[in-house]
Structures are given as structure tokens and as C-alpha cells.
């Protein structure tokens, strides 16, 4: 962008809140996704909804792309400015605006860090359940735009289940308020849910009111190790069939266990083929009962060991181990591609087995961890982007993983979003009718296509592979 | 519709599944809403998604309105064929298709009666929480199209929180499948939530997969009576502030108590100004603790009596009493207009008081009952549609009630829908930007406006009254 062209933007946010040197632009040319990079023209840190509305109006006039970006932990290239344009940061909009203990809501600016919010409300005896693994650095605005999940999704749902109201700057610069501090509201179409998870393609969210729930009295963690992935998967199904909905039911395979142990040395057994982390919260009696039942079920299903975490410290270590799985794995090879294929819970064993077979077939290294209770798996491919031949095999393997997930009644992304990376696969899940409906909505809301262009909607849809299921 | 024009429709569903005599058409000319009536041209009972797709294609070709109708319990004229056309019934599509105990889902056709579904899954130890007061006759399809709430909304949410997947026939006759048996799915815009609560204006829902949860072990009911509405409202706030989220926290005012007692004779005290019904479910210990705490809170807040229901039978009687409130009230005067204004929970006392003042100001009879824990109140106006002068006062009073709800951060409808009756007020809640966005979506999805035309979108928006608050 020519210096002259940046001036109207500078006059909105001020020089101190503008980044336009090449070094600065480089820093915002990527997110947590491998293999996607593109420099923006300008990076702005507005301080209010009104400033954002003014920025959007300028962008609309000149048809400049706008990419809103939280902490850039996106794993589907959703926050990479692949068509250039203006990146909007929220580092000047990170206030917790109001805690309403009577209506059990908290109202925040988008730049608030997820974990900060969780800790803040917990001090008041309240609970904000969505906990993406990146919660220490991710922002609430990013979480809402991506409809982030997390470890506690099984029992408590995902971000969209907690969004009660928002302020959005629409692509024409208009400021719209949606929802309210209401337990029930059926006044018109569910525009609020439409904005949640729209990945910044329909507007810029500038204020969010979230629902809170009372903080459970206690929580406890159990751990089970298995000689086979199937036994772990069967344990998951049996727990649910026993009418227990734990807070978390997390899964790691052998490769992930090794990577985490290499990284953290917390004493995970290297001979285990699979591990389940089982957490329950609630009242003392309920938690004690559920954890004992889950440990019993794991034993019945052939766990080599199934025990209660000996202390809160050990439980925290184990959970941290699970949360850092991606970082731990990513140290192993130059390039890490984390996927997010999700299947109905009943299909976890089938899916994990299929992933292993696909990895063997294409001779690529794929480790799997994830939210087993949700059927939300994270097959993680360790590779090297510089090796073209290997990358081709990786791409075939990932294609086949997505294909298998869809075949099993699943989806191409459970919680990471479509972004640009997964856009060629979206039609596999939605069909042409679904894609057409989405396009109609996008066209109606953002006719100039300035809001995060190139994301969600693919230039070209991938052909489905002919897969011989086995 | 000329006999000749009906023939193609008859050839789809057969003569036995077609109603076209004047007497038959009259039966489908109204729903549960006062003062709205219009005859359809044809009433069809298709047996499959494919038959519905064929019907829709015919309607598209000739631009004939299509109104899908469950049991016609709609309270906002949402199922009245005000522009004529074809009414689609689901009496041939009322099968429970699959119970999936591993994924905790049930898949049904739209015509299944809500209560039948609840009882069916309870036999398997599972729980479908949404329980609109009309659940004995309402259909799941209607519930989904209206995003119905109910008494258990406070703890368990509303219908949209349980819809996991659906099949929809789009306005061009295309069959679209949305969602899946998935705990997490962020593949594209949330089209599923867009269809839930769209009141049949975007497509016809022909199959639904619902999430289930484990059936709570036990439930208990407490009752509290008060000398003032304020004390009852303060009790509601205090319960939530005590970090208890009961299943139900239902409210009835004096007039409603009298009407129910006249109707059922279950021993409700006629001198009470207000009554709260407090139900909790969960484990034995939790329920016992919560109910005792709630009774204690009610006493602190000045309840004249606060006790545990003496038996399951008494608890059921009290809940039935609350569920029949509308029927009981509607016996009192020729015309009953049930409203659905909803406010943040913290504003219940203010809202209830405002309703009383508005009723006095316009000299109309309004009794209030509803879901106090949700802030979802049902001010019910007992009047006589034949008395033009009184009806004018009623209309002014209702306008002012909606206006007050919006002023308090609330909405014009919490669970009944917009339909045709409340469409002139929708802009008060959504603003012109919100209405425009909805119109864009409607236009993109249903360009010929054949899906339930005249509903949700108003011909003319009501001017807001100048209200002197206080």
C-alpha cells in the first residue's frame, strides 16, 4: 500500500497503532498453519467499535480486504492475509467490560485472552467452559469467530453455546447489535449463530457477551493406559453407554505419549499404545462415583492400568501434557500439519484404525491425539515442507483422512475452522446445495467480498479420491 | 384452487392424503392464535422427503405459498395460511426412525409428538429436555421450526441446543442434509441454527436428529407462595446468585392461580399474590441440597409458605397446573392473547410490575405466568375480540409491554416465534440493519417467497409509542 493510501487509516487509529514497515508486516504474514504466508498491506490496532466501523468504511470504498486477527493461533490459515489488505488487531481492545452475576454473563472486548477470562470469572465462583488447547494465548474474539471447542466440549459444549450477544461491524460499516442477556430469544433468524464461526467473513465482532455457569464444586482426574487403540476407543463408548458424560475424555496414541514425555518428563509409560485422560467435575459424591465407574470400565475394557490422579498437581501435569501435545510433536520434524477430522463418537475406533492404515499406505508419520469423547481427533502429520515428494504423499494421506471422516458420518473440521487450508474440502461435507446456500449468504452480506476474502469459500473444490475402504 | 390445479398434487400424495373440501380447508384456516384466520387452497399429507420435494417443485413452478404445519399450536399465527396456498401436514411422517445409544441421538420424522419422544427416550434412560407447555400435542417439527422453549429451559436450554442434524427441502425442491451426529462441527456457516426457528420461511424440515443426555437420577419439586410479586422475583434472583440453576423456576400471579384452581381444584391458596414452582433434578444428594437451599431462600425473601411437594403426585399436579395456565385463563373471557415478552432475569421484578401498571393504565385484564428463571414471561390478556374499543386498548397495552421489554434489554418473543402477529414489532428488537440482513438471507434462499410468505417479515413496521416510563 502506498504511503498516501495509508494516511486515512492512520488518522483513525493514530501512528502509534499502525504497523507498516516490512519487518512488521512480515510478522503478520502467517499464523499457526504450516505452508501459508502472505504479507498484509497494513496492520491496525483500533481502540473501539467506532474506529473499526470507520476502517471498514474506508476499506469498502476502495475494496481493500480486511482480516481480523486475535493471537494468530489459527490452524487452517484463517488469519493469513492471503490477498493482502488490512489486518485488524485487538491488542487495544482487551477489556473485561462487565461481570453480571445476576444474569450470569460476562461482557468482553474481543482481545481478552481466553485463560484470563476463565480465571477472572472463577474468582467469582463462575465458570466459562470452552477451553481450546491454545487458551493461554488465544483471544475470545478468535474463539468466537472460529467457534472454538476444547477439552471440556463433551460435557459443556463449544463456544457458540456460550455466546449470548455481540456487536458486529458489518461489511458496509454499519454497527449491528445481536442477541441479549436472554435465556430465550426467538425474534427472527439466528443471526448470532451465523456470525459465530463465520471466520471473519461476514463482519468484525467488536464486543461479546458470554453466558457463564456456576463453577462446579470439585473435579477429579483419572488416567488409563492401554495395549491397543481399540481398547481405549471401546472404553470411551462404554463410558457414554453407562450414561456418564465426563468433562473431558482425552486420547493420546503412542507417538504422542512419547513426544509429550520427551518434552515434559512427567512419567508417562513409553510402552503404552494409548492413553485416556478422564476428568469429571460436579459435587463431591457425583465426581467420586463417576471417576470410580470410569476406572472400572477402563479395567473391564482391558486397560493395563487405570488409576485416579494421585494429586491435583499430577492431574494438572497430565492435562498440561495433553494440551502441549501439538507443541511436543512439532519439535520432531520441520513441518507439523495438525488435522481436525471429527466423527460420531461410535466411530472413533474405526477412524483411529483408518488413520494408522492411511499413514502406512502413504508412508507418512501421523500421530493422533484429541477429544475422544467428542469424536474430535487431531491426526498430526510430522513432515518436511521442503520435501516435495513427501508433501505429495502427505496431501494424499490427508485427503483420504477427510474422505474417511465424511464416510463415517463425520466432518472435515470439528473445532479449527475451514480457513483457506480446508476450503477445498468443504463441499465434501456440505454438498453443492450447502455451498450454494453459504455463497448466497456471503454475497448478500458482503457483496464486495472484502471480509477475509479467500477463506471458507474455495477457488476450486478438490476431487474426491476413489478410496477402497478396507 | 381449481380442481384441475390440484391434480398434480394429488398424483404425488394420493387422494386419501389430500384435503380440499371447504369444511376441511376451514379446519386448517387457523392455529392457536386469536384473531387470525385464512383458508388454504389445499392440505396435503405427504409420506416422505421425496414427496415433499415434489410438492415444493410444483409450488415453485406456479409460485404457490407452502405452509408447513405440525399440530397448529402456534401462538403468533405462524401456521395460518394468510396468503392461501398449500398446507403440508406431517401426520404421515411421525416415525421415530432411530435411537443411537452410543452417540446419544434420536432421529425422527417431524410429525412425532414431543411428549411421545420424551417418554420413548426415557424408557431407555435418556432425556430430551425441551418441554414446551403444549408438548402433549405439539410436534418435534413444529418445535424445531419455532425453536421452542419450555419449563426446563433454565437449566437445559431450548430446542436449538438439541438439534444435531436435519434434512431440509429447500424452496427450489433440492434436498439438503445439514449437520451430523457430531459433538463438534465447524465446517462452514451454521446453517443448522439458521434453519432452527426460521418458522418455515427458508425450507421444509423433513427429518431431524436430536441430541439426548442421560436421564437425571431423581427430581424434586418445591412450592413457595408470596404476598407480593416482588418477593417472588427477588427469590428467583437470589437462587441464581446462590449458584443454583434449577430445572424449572416457574411463576404464576394471583389471577393465574385463581384460574388454575377454578379449572383443576388442586388446592392452590387463593390469597397468594404469587407462586413459584421450583424443580431440581440430578443426583439424590444434589437435589436434596438444592431444594432445601431454594426453600430457605424463598423463606428469607418473605415467602408466606415454602415447602417440598409432599409426593410425586402433588409435584405432577402442580406442574400440570402450571402447564394448563393458558387453557385455564382462556376460559375466562371470549378472547385470549398470550404474549411472550422476555427480559434479562435481573429485570423480572421490574417487568412484572410494568405489566401490572400497563394493564391498569389501559384498563385491560392481563395475568402473568411464565418461566421466571428464564425471564420468559407470558402476560396473558383476557379480552373480547368483538369489542373494538376494548381491542384497541389491548393493542396499546401489548405495544407498551413489548416496548418495555426491549427497553429492559429483552425481546419481543422468547419462545413462541414471530409469525405474522409479532412481525410488525421485530424491527424494535433487531433494528433496520438486522431486518435487512434477514431479508437478504430470505431473498437469497427463497427468491420467489413461496415458503410461509407473510411470516416473520412485516408489511409495515409498527411505530414505537412514546412511553413515559416510571
Amino acid at each position: 500500500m502506498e504511503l498516501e493510501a495509508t494516511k486515512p487509516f492512520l488518522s483513525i487509529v493514530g501512528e502509534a497503532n499502525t504497523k507498516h514497515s516490512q519487518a512488521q508486516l512480515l510478522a503478520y504474514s502467517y499464523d499457526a498453519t504450516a505452508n501459508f504466508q502472505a504479507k498484509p498491506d497494513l496492520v491496525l490496532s483500533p481502540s473501539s467499535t467506532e474506529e473499526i466501523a470507520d476502517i471498514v468504511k474506508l476499506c469498502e470504498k476502495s475494496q481493500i480486504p480486511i482480516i481480523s486477527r486475535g493471537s494468530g493461533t489459527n490452524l487452517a490459515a484463517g488469519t493469513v492475509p492471503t490477498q493482502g489488505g488490512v489486518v485488524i488487531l485487538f491488542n487495544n481492545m482487551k477489556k473485561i467490560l462487565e461481570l453480571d452475576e445476576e444474569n450470569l454473563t460476562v461482557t468482553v472486548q474481543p482481545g481478552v485472552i481466553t485463560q484470563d477470562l476463565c480465571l477472572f470469572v472463577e474468582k467469582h465462583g463462575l465458570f466459562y467452559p470452552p477451553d481450546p488447547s491454545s487458551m493461554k494465548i488465544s483471544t475470545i474474539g478468535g474463539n468466537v469467530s472460529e467457534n472454538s471447542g476444547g477439552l471440556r466440549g463433551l460435557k459443556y459444549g463449544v463456544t457458540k453455546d456460550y455466546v449470548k450477544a455481540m456487536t458486529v461491524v458489518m461489511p458496509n460499516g454499519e454497527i449491528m447489535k445481536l442477541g441479549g442477556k436472554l435465556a430465550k430469544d426467538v425474534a427472527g433468524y439466528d443471526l448470532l449463530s451465523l456470525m459465530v464461526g463465520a471466520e471473519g467473513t461476514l463482519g468484525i465482532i467488536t464486543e461479546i457477551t458470554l453466558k457463564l455457569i456456576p463453577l462446579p464444586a470439585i473435579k477429579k482426574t483419572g488416567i488409563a493406559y492401554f495395549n491397543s487403540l481399540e481398547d481405549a476407543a471401546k472404553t470411551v463408548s462404554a463410558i457414554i453407554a453407562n450414561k456418564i458424560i465426563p468433562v473431558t475424555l482425552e486420547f493420546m496414541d503412542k507417538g504422542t505419549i512419547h513426544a509429550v514425555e520427551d518434552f515434559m518428563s512427567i512419567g508417562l509409560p513409553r510402552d503404552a499404545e494409548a492413553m485416556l485422560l478422564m476428568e469429571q467435575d460436579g459435587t463431591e459424591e457425583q465426581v467420586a462415583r463417576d471417576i470410580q465407574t470410569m476406572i472400572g470400565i477402563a479395567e473391564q475394557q482391558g486397560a493395563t492400568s487405570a488409576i485416579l490422579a494421585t494429586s491435583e498437581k499430577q492431574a494438572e501435569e497430565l492435562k498440561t501434557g495433553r494440551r502441549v501435545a501439538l507443541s511436543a510433536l512439532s519439535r520432531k520434524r520441520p513441518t507439523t500439519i495438525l488435522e481436525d477430522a471429527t466423527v460420531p463418537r461410535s466411530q472413533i475406533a474405526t477412524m483411529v484404525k483408518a488413520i494408522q492404515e492411511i499413514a502406512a499406505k502413504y508412508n507418512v508419520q501421523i500421530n493422533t491425539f484429541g477429544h475422544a469423547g467428542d469424536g474430535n481427533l487431531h491426526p498430526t502429520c510430522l513432515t518436511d515442507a521442503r520435501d516435495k515428494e513427501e508433501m505429495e504423499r502427505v496431501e494424499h494421506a490427508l485427503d483420504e483422512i477427510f474422505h474417511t471422516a465424511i464416510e463415517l458420518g463425520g466432518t472435515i473440521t470439528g473445532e479449527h475452522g475451514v480457513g483457506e487450508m480446508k476450503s477445498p474440502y468443504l463441499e465434501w461435507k456440505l454438498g453443492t446445495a450447502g455451498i450454494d446456500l453459504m455463497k448466497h449468504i456471503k454475497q448478500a452480506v458482503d457483496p464486495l467480498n472484502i471480509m477475509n476474502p479467500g477463506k471458507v469459500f474455495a477457488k476450486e473444490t478438490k476431487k474426491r479420491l476413489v478410496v477402497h475402504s478396507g
Side-chain angles (χ1 to χ4, degrees), chain A residues 30-198:
Chain A
Y30 54 87
D31 58 19
T33 319
N35 266 350
F36 282 85
Q37 190 167 15
K39 264 193 291 192
D41 294 299
L42 200 59
V43 178
L44 303 173
S45 297
S47 301
S48 67
T49 299
E50 290 67 28
E51 284 187 11
I52 293 175
D54 288 343
I55 293 167
V56 170
K57 281 177 203 154
L58 276 181
C59 288
E60 192 206 18
K61 206 160 34 170
S62 308
Q63 302 195 28
I64 298 168
I66 314 165
I67 302 91
S68 42
R69 177 187 170 106
S71 299
T73 56
N74 195 288
L75 290 158
T79 44
V80 178
T82 47
Q83 302 185 14
V86 173
V87 165
I88 307 265
L89 302 181
F90 293 90
N91 54 324
N92 288 333
M93 294 177 72
K94 48 184 184 185
K95 283 195 205 74
I96 294 175
L97 300 168
E98 185 209 39
L99 177 71
D100 182 340
E101 296 194 60
E102 224 174 332
N103 291 308
L104 299 189
T105 61
V106 65
T107 299
V108 301
Q109 290 184 313
V112 171
I113 301 297
T114 314
Q115 180 157 291
D116 292 351
L117 178 77
C118 292
L119 294 175
F120 170 79
V121 302
E122 283 178 22
K123 268 187 273 171
H124 297 268
L126 293 167
F127 187 31
Y128 176 68
D131 63 340
S133 290
S134 56
M135 67 188 291
K136 276 191 186 172
I137 45 170
S138 71
T139 64
I140 293 292
N143 294 172
V144 172
S145 285
E146 298 297 323
N147 188 15
S148 300
L151 279 66
R152 300 190 282 234
L154 173 58
K155 182 169 181 175
Y156 290 111
V158 294
T159 303
K160 79 164 176 175
D161 300 312
Y162 294 87
V163 179
K164 299 307 295 176
M166 62 168 70
T167 305
V168 199
V169 175
M170 299 304 288
N172 61 1
E174 217 166 340
I175 296 169
M176 192 164 66
K177 286 178 185 286
L178 295 173
K181 292 178 181 174
L182 300 166
K184 291 172 173 170
D185 185 7
V186 293
Y189 297 160
D190 189 353
L191 302 176
L192 199 62
S193 295
L194 186 64
M195 290 293 162
V196 176

Side-chain angles (χ1 to χ4, degrees), chain A residues 251-276:
Chain A
F251 166 83
M252 296 204 284
D253 72 0
K254 185 170 199 157
T256 311
I257 293 171
H258 277 238
V260 169
E261 186 58 20
D262 292 347
F263 190 49
M264 286 184 61
S265 303
I266 50 176
L268 301 181
R270 289 178 185 274
D271 57 341
E273 285 295 324
M275 156 180 176
L276 275 187

Side-chain angles (χ1 to χ4, degrees), chain A residues 315-387:
Chain A
E316 276 310 314
E317 262 178 13
L318 288 163
K319 273 185 286 179
T320 304
R322 164 58 194 87
R323 279 187 206 282
V324 301
L326 173 59
S327 315
L329 283 166
S330 67
R331 303 191 320 155
K332 300 285 175 187
R333 294 283 310 273
T335 307
T336 312
I337 300 175
L338 174 67
E339 275 315 332
D340 188 31
T342 303
V343 292
R345 189 185 296 126
S346 58
Q347 302 291 353
I348 297 165
T350 312
M351 187 69 202
V352 170
K353 198 153 162 276
I355 293 169
Q356 289 185 313
E357 285 167 5
I358 292 165
K361 175 174 168 188
Y362 293 102
N363 187 28
V364 293
Q365 187 183 349
I366 300 179
N367 289 114
T368 300
F369 61 92
H371 318 299
D374 291 344
N376 181 197
L377 298 170
H378 294 314
T380 304
C381 188
L382 307 181
T383 181
D384 184 345
R386 296 162 301 187
D387 183 338

Side-chain angles (χ1 to χ4, degrees), chain A residues 409-426:
Chain A
T411 184
I412 59 165
T413 174
E415 57 180 11
H416 293 167
V418 178
E420 186 146 329
M421 184 169 130
K422 259 169 271 172
S423 63
Y425 302 96
L426 189 58

